């Protein structure tokens, strides 16, 4: 019954590795997002997808690539992980950019 | 350019006393405004939102916020704080027809027993 789910919940990995975080929503929303939250709780929007089209890319390094296989999924793939990528990554969904966003529980990434 | 300012990075109140979390925005157009709450180790949850209807908006858990266009403010209040209100609070702005949603830096609320 979880509206927005993310896997994995925790991810510990070495520098230089490639990893993916998955997000799934069962709300039927048209727009999905990825956010990065740093240790100071500052929330930065990374990407959003609307009907499988990228509509925001906030100057995120190209090591990060969102992939949307269908309307219910927006996965985040990260190449060549760096120490500074350690953060909590949140997936969210909404009917549109101006409407309420529903957040997943977060994925806590630690790069060693 | 749009922006969101949350004037206090941290607010501490005693249980049972009022809560005021301040938010100011900068926008050339009438925005949609939101307050989200994030409890420790959880995702964000909507508290309330303003979308050009009544200027006083009531949300969940006894919170409310008033949109004041002249002051470009959307402060969040609650008459009596509860221990369970301790969390991080984010003020958010989005513009009709724009492609941006802007989060404020957050205010951490502590409630002292």
């Amino acid at each position: 019954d979880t509206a927005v789910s993310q896997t994995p919940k925790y991810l510990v990995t070495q520098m230089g590795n490639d990893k993916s975080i998955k997000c799934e929503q069962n709300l039927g929303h048209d727009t999905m997002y990825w956010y990065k939250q740093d240790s100071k709780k500052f929330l930065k929007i990374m990407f959003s997808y609307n009907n499988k089209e990228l509509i925001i890319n906030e100057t995120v390094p190209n090591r990060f690539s969102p992939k949307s296989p269908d309307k219910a999924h927006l996965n985040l793939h990260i190449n060549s992980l760096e120490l500074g990528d350690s953060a909590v990554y949140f997936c969210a969904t909404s009917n549109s950019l101006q409407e309420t966003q529903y957040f997943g529980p977060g994925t806590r990434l630690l790069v060693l | 350019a749009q922006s969101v300012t949350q004037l206090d990075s941290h607010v501490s109140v005693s249980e049972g006393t009022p809560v005021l979390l301040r938010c100011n925005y900068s926008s050339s157009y009438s925005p949609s405004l939101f307050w989200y709450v994030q409890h420790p180790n959880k995702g964000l949850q909507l508290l309330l939102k303003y979308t050009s209807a009544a200027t006083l908006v009531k949300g969940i858990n006894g919170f409310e916020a008033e949109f004041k266009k002249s002051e470009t403010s959307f402060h969040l209040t609650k008459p009596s704080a509860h221990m369970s209100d301790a969390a991080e609070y984010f003020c958010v702005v989005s513009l009709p027809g724009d492609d941006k949603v802007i989060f404020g830096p957050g205010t951490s609320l502590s409630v002292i027993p």
Side-chain angles (χ1 to χ4, degrees), chain A residues 4-70:
Chain A
V4 184
S5 60
Q6 295 179 228
T7 54
K9 187 173 182 179
Y10 298 96
L11 183 55
V12 181
T13 188
Q14 300 286 334
M15 280 177 56
N17 284 350
D18 302 338
K19 291 293 180 184
S20 291
I21 307 172
K22 296 184 178 181
C23 177
E24 178 179 1
Q25 57 112 349
N26 62 9
L27 297 171
H29 287 165
D30 288 332
T31 308
M32 296 183 72
Y33 313 79
W34 275 106
Y35 289 88
K36 178 181 180 181
Q37 187 174 45
D38 63 24
S39 58
K40 295 184 179 180
K41 303 292 185 183
F42 185 76
L43 210 62
K44 173 185 175 182
I45 187 167
M46 301 177 72
F47 303 102
S48 71
Y49 256 72
N50 181 282
N51 289 326
K52 299 181 68 174
E53 290 187 49
L54 180 66
I55 58 175
I56 295 177
N57 184 335
E58 294 288 326
T59 63
V60 173
N62 58 15
R63 297 183 295 105
F64 292 80
S65 54
K67 298 189 190 304
S68 181
D70 55 58

Side-chain angles (χ1 to χ4, degrees), chain A residues 9 33 35 37 40-43 45 48 55-56 58 90 97-106 108, chain B residues 32 34 36 38 41-46 49 51 88 90 94-101 103-105:
Chain A
K9 187 173 182 179
Y33 313 79
Y35 289 88
Q37 187 174 45
K40 295 184 179 180
K41 303 292 185 183
F42 185 76
L43 210 62
I45 187 167
S48 71
I55 58 175
I56 295 177
E58 294 288 326
F90 287 100
L97 280 165
Q98 281 72 48
E99 298 195 38
T100 301
Q101 295 187 33
Y102 295 82
F103 283 78
R108 285 143 187 86
Chain B
S32 294
F34 306 78
Y36 287 85
Q38 183 182 24
N41 300 313
K42 300 287 186 184
L44 280 73
Q45 178 187 15
L46 180 73
K49 66 178 180 180
T51 54
E88 193 82 17
F90 295 92
S94 71
L95 297 180
D98 201 346
D99 63 353
K100 285 196 172 182
V101 175
F103 278 70

Side-chain angles (χ1 to χ4, degrees), chain B residues 16-35:
Chain B
T17 64
V19 175
L20 170 64
L21 304 183
R22 297 182 290 172
C23 174
N24 287 87
Y25 68 93
S26 170
S27 171
S28 303
Y29 305 98
S30 295
S32 294
L33 296 160
F34 306 78
W35 276 100

Side-chain angles (χ1 to χ4, degrees), chain B residues 23-31 33 50 52 54-56 66-75:
Chain B
C23 174
N24 287 87
Y25 68 93
S26 170
S27 171
S28 303
Y29 305 98
S30 295
L33 296 160
Y50 166 78
S52 76
T55 56
L56 182 62
E66 186 172 8
F67 172 67
K68 292 187 177 180
K69 187 174 181 179
S70 61
E71 298 176 10
T72 60
S73 68
F74 191 56
H75 301 334

